[in-house]
Amino acid sequence: MANAVHLGSGKVRELYALDVERLLLVASDRISTFDVVLPTAIPDKGRVLTGLAGFWFARTRSICANHLLALRPDGRSTECRRLEMLPIECVVRGYLSGSGWKDYRKAGEVCGHRLPTGLRESDRLPEPIFTPATKAQSGHDENITREQAAQIVGAQRFAEAERLSLALYNFAAAYALERGIIIADTKFEFGTDRTGGLVLGDEALTPDSSRFWPADQYAPGGLQPSYDKQYVRDFCEKIGWGNTYCHHELPAEVVEGTRGRYVEAFEQLTTLRFNDYLANPSIVLS
Ligand code: Q0Z
């Protein structure tokens, strides 16, 4: 890290430049709920997310090129190709939740996709939809129509990003469902390399960039439990910080329960032992 230049901080990650062509993404153990970072870390959360993202990058290469160059031995750092990032978030929704549910209730559509009437919160959609959003510098990303997205990145780029996003989601959602996890929705970030080709970047198909639901508890008609963050939500709720600024330290049993859920998601999806990943992170790549 001696020569790495810090480029920026996300809520739970750090970004460094290694040289002109390579970046280092470092996933911390910080956790956020309702867009707020909590004061208590979840041990190994950054390693679980890094390992999962690496696993998906390795398994989706035939669908779409990606930025991954290597996982570092610390298990939380990804060396990647430096891209020119598209200024839109590429969201795919297979189920009606979050801002998708909000927009549907208001207008019967999401990002210009007219949906059947009578859908309930968390219902599975007739087919997955591509619902682009702007990248807000601060505050919340805003859903935009396909036409608006096409104006921002160009019609050709838009069509390619939509096609790749849907293909990636369809592959991963089917794979995860066989292993007991519903990926309700997910966000991809694409960039272009020097040849102009679209490349999948950032972190993809992790619980931080997606909504993971336990399939065995799926009950449409309301909010679903979060696969990874439910212990934290329940705790914040219990102490009266339902969905606002929760800055209380988490009790040890909430930390341990949450760590267990992350590790469980990793092991169910990769069919690898998390301890084996810690010993040699590159095992998720083969
Ligand atoms: C990712 C982000 C983080 C703060 C830029 N391969 C790439 N090439 C160029 N830029 C990026 C990537 Cl992944 C890129 N972000 C998001 C990550 C901290 C912001 F760890 N921003």
Side-chain angles (χ1 to χ4, degrees):
M1 294 278 296
N3 302 308
V5 174
H6 188 241
L7 293 182
S9 302
K11 276 201 291 287
V12 302
R13 298 180 302 158
E14 304 296 331
L15 187 64
Y16 300 86
L18 294 172
D19 53 49
V20 279
E21 304 189 305
R22 296 181 310 141
L23 300 180
L24 191 70
L25 269 167
V26 183
S28 74
D29 291 339
R30 297 193 293 274
I31 185 170
S32 67
T33 39
F34 309 112
D35 280 332
V36 178
V37 178
L38 299 171
T40 316
I42 306 298
D44 292 325
K45 172 177 177 279
R47 293 191 177 90
V48 165
L49 268 64
T50 299
L52 263 183
F55 171 82
W56 288 120
F57 281 138
R59 270 148 198 81
T60 58
R61 283 177 55 201
S62 60
I63 299 173
C64 177
N66 64 64
H67 74 166
L68 176 73
L69 294 171
L71 297 180
R72 291 237 166 140
D74 66 7
R76 64 170 71 255
S77 310
T78 305
E79 293 178 17
C80 54
R81 284 195 277 159
R82 194 172 199 161
L83 307 170
E84 195 74 55
M85 300 308 285
L86 297 192
I88 58 168
E89 313 265 19
C90 292
V91 178
V92 179
R93 300 170 187 278
Y95 296 75
L96 200 48
S97 183
S99 68
W101 167 241
K102 242 193 216 162
D103 293 353
Y104 172 77
R105 276 224 297 201
K106 259 185 257 162
E109 57 181 53
V110 185
C111 299
H113 296 276
R114 196 83 218 166
L115 295 174
T117 56
L119 293 177
R120 300 161 298 169
E121 183 173 20
S122 308
D123 260 330
R124 188 181 172 145
L125 295 171
E127 59 188 339
I129 56 175
F130 184 66
T131 59
T134 59
K135 287 185 186 179
Q137 292 307 314
S138 61
H140 268 277
D141 297 339
E142 214 179 303
N143 288 339
I144 53 178
T145 64
R146 303 169 71 251
E147 289 71 25
Q148 288 173 302
Q151 284 220 315
I152 295 170
V153 301
Q156 287 246 301
R157 277 269 175 260
F158 173 81
E160 200 184 359
E162 176 176 56
R163 177 178 65 79
L164 293 173
S165 297
L166 289 168
L168 288 164
Y169 174 81
N170 284 332
F171 169 80
Y175 178 97
L177 190 56
E178 282 177 25
R179 288 156 186 84
I181 294 175
I182 292 173
I183 303 180
D185 51 39
T186 197
K187 177 196 80 179
F188 298 111
E189 300 208 25
F190 291 95
T192 52
D193 60 15
R194 270 176 308 180
T195 72
L198 261 198
V199 178
L200 178 62
D202 211 59
E203 149 192 316
L205 299 163
T206 65
D208 273 12
S209 63
S210 320
R211 271 194 186 82
F212 280 19
W213 294 338
D216 62 356
Q217 289 171 57
Y218 177 56
L223 215 54
Q224 302 305 294
S226 162
Y227 192 98
D228 46 310
K229 290 179 175 167
Q230 200 56 44
Y231 288 102
V232 174
R233 297 214 173 132
D234 290 348
F235 171 74
C236 291
E237 189 88 33
K238 198 180 81 185
I239 62 168
W241 293 93
N243 44 17
T244 50
Y245 187 53
C246 176
H247 48 218
H248 283 259
E249 290 283 352
L250 300 173
E253 62 271 21
V254 173
V255 172
E256 262 324 293
T258 302
R259 180 185 179 278
R261 292 300 277 172
Y262 282 108
V263 170
E264 198 178 306
F266 175 94
E267 294 190 334
Q268 276 183 204
L269 290 172
T270 65
T271 67
L272 296 166
R273 305 287 266 297
F274 183 61
N275 277 334
D276 293 342
Y277 172 76
L278 295 181
N280 176 20
S282 61
I283 61 168
V284 294
L285 304 181
S286 50

